[in-house]
Amino acid sequence: MRDTDFGDRAYRHKAHFRKKIIFIPFLVAGGLALISYIVMLLWNGLLPEVLHTGTITFWQAMGLFILAKILFGFGKGGGRGGAPWMRHKMERWRDMSPEERDRLREQMRSRCNKWGRHRGDFDWDQPAESATPATEEPIKPTE
C-alpha cells in the first residue's frame, strides 16, 4: 500500500510541475519587457544629453537589447560570457595540437606580413644604415 501512495504522490508532483511550466513564457516575456523599459529609460535619460542622439521607443529599446545579446552573448554564468563566435574560435584553438597551432601562426604571419614590423623585409632590430658609407670621402665644396 505504501508503493501506491508514493506513486500517487509522484503523479501529483508531475501534475503540479506541469501547471507551473505554463507560466515560464509569461515570466520570460515580462522579464524582457522590464529590461527593455529600463534600457529605454537609460538611453533617453543619458544619451540625448551626452551624445546628442535622439530618443528611442520601447520597441527600439527591446531591439537594441536583443541585438546586444546576439552580438555579445547571453552570459551563461561561470565567466563563460562573450560573443558566441569568439567562444567557437577559442574552442577550436583549444582542440588544436601544438603542430596545428604553429602552422596557423605561420599562416597568419604570412597573411599579415604587409602590416606592422615585417613591412618590406626590414629588420627593425638592427640599427639603420647611414645614407653615406663611412669608407667614402665626404664631398668637398668647390670655390
Side-chain angles (χ1 to χ4, degrees):
M1 185 158 218
R2 197 163 174 91
D3 291 337
T4 312
D5 291 338
F6 180 74
D8 290 342
R9 199 175 324 153
Y11 177 75
R12 281 183 290 176
H13 180 70
K14 280 184 181 179
H16 185 66
F17 181 73
R18 286 184 188 145
K19 288 178 186 175
K20 285 184 179 180
I21 207 165
I22 293 172
F23 293 106
I24 291 176
F26 295 111
L27 289 174
V28 170
L32 180 62
L34 179 66
I35 291 173
S36 299
Y37 183 70
I38 292 170
V39 167
M40 182 188 72
L41 288 177
L42 287 172
W43 181 287
N44 292 338
L46 296 172
L47 292 180
E49 295 175 11
V50 175
L51 299 177
H52 307 292
T53 61
T55 59
I56 61 173
T57 65
F58 173 79
W59 297 108
Q60 289 171 330
M62 184 180 289
L64 279 173
F65 176 70
I66 292 171
L67 179 65
K69 283 299 179 183
I70 290 170
L71 292 176
F72 302 117
F74 288 90
K76 302 232 188 299
R80 285 217 43 184
W85 59 268
M86 182 56 97
R87 284 196 306 262
H88 175 69
K89 295 282 186 191
M90 294 304 290
E91 288 171 2
R92 275 186 49 202
W93 180 261
R94 188 186 63 222
D95 295 337
M96 285 183 180
S97 67
E99 295 83 19
E100 290 173 330
R101 289 180 188 173
D102 291 338
R103 189 174 63 229
L104 180 64
R105 281 188 190 114
E106 288 302 319
Q107 287 175 355
M108 294 309 291
R109 283 189 186 124
S110 67
R111 287 182 191 172
C112 301
N113 196 19
K114 58 186 168 189
W115 294 297
R117 52 183 239 132
H118 303 292
R119 185 179 317 164
D121 295 326
F122 182 77
D123 190 6
W124 289 92
D125 296 330
Q126 298 296 324
E129 298 175 6
S130 63
T132 58
T135 58
E136 293 181 12
E137 292 182 19
I139 300 174
K140 296 179 183 176
T142 57
E143 293 181 28

